[in-house]
Amino acid sequence: MYLSSLKSLAFLGLTICLFTACEFNKPTPLSEHAIIPKPLSVTDTDGQFEITDKTEIVASGDVSSVTVYLQEFLQSTTGFELATGSEATENSIVLALEGGLAEEGYELDITTERVKISAGSPAGLFYGVQTLRQLLPAETEGVSSTSSGLFLATGKIQDAPEYGYRGAMLDVSRHFFQVEDVKHFIDLIAKYKMNMLHLHLSDDQGWRIEIKSWPLLTTIGGSTQVGGGEGGFYTQEDYKDIVAFGQSRFITIVPEIDMPGHTNSALASYGELNPGIKVPDEGALPFDRKEIGVDGMATPLYTGREVGFSTLATDKPVTYQFVDDVIREISEITPGPYFHIGGDESHVTEMEDYIPFIEKAQEIVKKYGKIAIGWDEVAHASLDSTTIAQFWAKGENAKMAVDQGAKVLISPATRAYLDMQYDSTTVLGLHWAAYIEVDEAYKWEPTELVDGIGKSDIIGVEAPLWTETISNRSDIEYMIFPRITAIAEIAWTPKNLRDWESYKSRLSKHGQRWDKMGINYYQSPLVDWEN
């Protein structure tokens, strides 16, 4: 009797183990995965595909960068050194360039025999790989290896972005960040299918890009930052390195040189650019131009946070030679189509001086083959039809730009500014525009912000991170995560497919991935984090 009972228990235990093993190996259906941004359509079928050390990556067309990216990711997490081939076989991951798909769209088709990502461009394949990555367990985001396979449910995902411009901005002027920190930022936003990085390269507190024809911009203007400290700058070779890394992640670099305001670092470097201003004490702004300092004298370096006190001398020929040289040198090492000329908060530049300056700067950008972008104040000038106004503060400015035939880039400070504090307890960041919890970052629609501005007027969405209070990589991560995923979904996913409850549920699972990546993120109390 005792022996019989033992046999029964053993049989029951074996049955449970076998059942549990089967359930463990059974992958989550595609439709139940927490994919961010949410795809256009997901269809489940009944099967599974296993990635093993015998799986081969098969590529058609010139997609070597995507192939290498996928190889390196799978090797770093599984230890599998997957071979590559040119013809699809069983047990393969196929990367195929095909016609008939949207420029950055893709199809991810998983069968029991192979995984196929099809796209109309290498960028589309890269975004398909990012979706594939989110179908794998969170543990694959850690640096580890496993001898077991990875299981994927079968089915199909069809996807394409809502907007062509999906970006983030990193202010490297208020605080300087090393090349590797910028690359890390690029890597993070690329995971969520963003394709633009706007680098704010100059401001009152620091000039961050080498200009060979004006060398003091970096040796003097780049020597400090908010709160003091040594500052820093990118050589042109550093900048090229950032650009190249961005290209490997299908991220286009958008350089910004802010002008005619936010220019004290330039005025401290070259006095001849100074119309005669004095740098304020912290908290004081000399807006009365009758009381400003000596024309042509270099200003002291500035390490405070106040804005609006500086301006280039808009009536001097040397200023336009300076602007021309700066735009020319940066454009020569920037393969992307855009050049940002700033134009915001130039409070001490009289409007009769501001307007012709912006128009001249716009023409110089066009001369060097780039499309000008400016903050929404530039709409006071006569804009070229190719110029883009970046809406951050005033809807009437954005509408003024559209009425001139220009397009707009949407970056509302009350929704998309990543330096805004989450709530009153947040140590980092500011709150002059708003407190922005993750729900506030998600629950808005670009086409509903300004009357008279519709989707055809909008090139895309950008989330800026200003760095007055941000000084290291951990600070960056904390302020952008999780809100960067909200902005990414707004830029990628159509309005009719976006839903706060769905997004919140999917977001809760991404905390596990960020834990494995070692990302410092804000664990919003609005989200039931699964970590």
Side-chain angles (χ1 to χ4, degrees), residues 362-420:
Q362 172 185 244
E363 287 305 309
I364 294 170
V365 168
K366 191 173 182 179
K367 180 174 77 169
Y368 290 111
K370 303 300 181 185
I371 297 169
I373 304 178
W375 299 103
D376 61 47
E377 291 95 320
V378 300
H380 289 283
S382 178
L383 299 183
D384 185 89
S385 61
T386 63
T387 295
I388 296 159
Q390 186 165 3
F391 166 52
W392 71 280
K394 293 186 176 181
E396 58 265 35
N397 287 344
K399 182 61 167 60
M400 199 185 315
V402 168
D403 288 344
Q404 295 188 59
K407 301 291 186 182
V408 292
L409 174 61
I410 301 295
S411 301
T414 56
R415 297 287 190 167
Y417 269 33
L418 300 174
D419 56 305
M420 292 297 104

Side-chain angles (χ1 to χ4, degrees), residues 363-487:
E363 287 305 309
I364 294 170
V365 168
K366 191 173 182 179
K367 180 174 77 169
Y368 290 111
K370 303 300 181 185
I371 297 169
I373 304 178
W375 299 103
D376 61 47
E377 291 95 320
V378 300
H380 289 283
S382 178
L383 299 183
D384 185 89
S385 61
T386 63
T387 295
I388 296 159
Q390 186 165 3
F391 166 52
W392 71 280
K394 293 186 176 181
E396 58 265 35
N397 287 344
K399 182 61 167 60
M400 199 185 315
V402 168
D403 288 344
Q404 295 188 59
K407 301 291 186 182
V408 292
L409 174 61
I410 301 295
S411 301
T414 56
R415 297 287 190 167
Y417 269 33
L418 300 174
D419 56 305
M420 292 297 104
Q421 294 171 326
Y422 294 99
D423 59 29
S424 61
T425 68
T426 309
V427 175
L428 297 171
L430 304 170
H431 60 269
W432 56 262
Y435 292 113
I436 306 178
E437 248 289 2
V438 64
D439 60 336
E440 294 298 312
Y442 184 82
K443 294 193 290 186
W444 63 280
E445 162 59 29
T447 62
E448 297 174 357
L449 296 176
V450 182
D451 289 342
I453 295 182
K455 188 171 185 299
S456 63
D457 303 310
I458 299 170
I459 68 162
V461 179
E462 181 179 285
L465 179 66
W466 302 100
T467 61
E468 288 93 337
T469 69
I470 312 301
S471 61
N472 56 57
R473 184 183 294 192
S474 179
D475 291 349
I476 290 175
E477 291 174 348
Y478 186 80
M479 296 306 286
I480 72 171
F481 281 101
R483 292 180 295 193
I484 196 72
T485 66
I487 305 302

Side-chain angles (χ1 to χ4, degrees), residues 37-51:
K38 187 178 182 180
L40 289 179
S41 70
V42 181
T43 305
D44 295 321
T45 56
D46 189 19
Q48 64 184 31
F49 175 83
E50 182 182 8
I51 300 174

Side-chain angles (χ1 to χ4, degrees), residues 127-143:
Y127 303 137
V129 168
Q130 297 308 322
T131 295
L132 175 64
R133 190 168 176 163
Q134 292 188 30
L135 298 178
L136 298 173
E139 287 72 22
T140 59
E141 297 294 351
V143 179

Side-chain angles (χ1 to χ4, degrees), residues 174-203:
R174 271 51 178 271
H175 279 96
F176 178 68
F177 295 92
Q178 300 293 333
V179 170
E180 291 307 311
D181 294 321
V182 179
K183 289 181 178 181
H184 179 67
F185 190 92
I186 289 171
D187 215 23
L188 294 178
I189 66 174
K191 288 176 171 57
Y192 291 94
K193 303 183 177 75
M194 286 191 155
N195 64 354
M196 298 284 172
L197 174 60
H198 170 183
L199 284 179
H200 186 75
L201 291 166
S202 70
D203 214 297

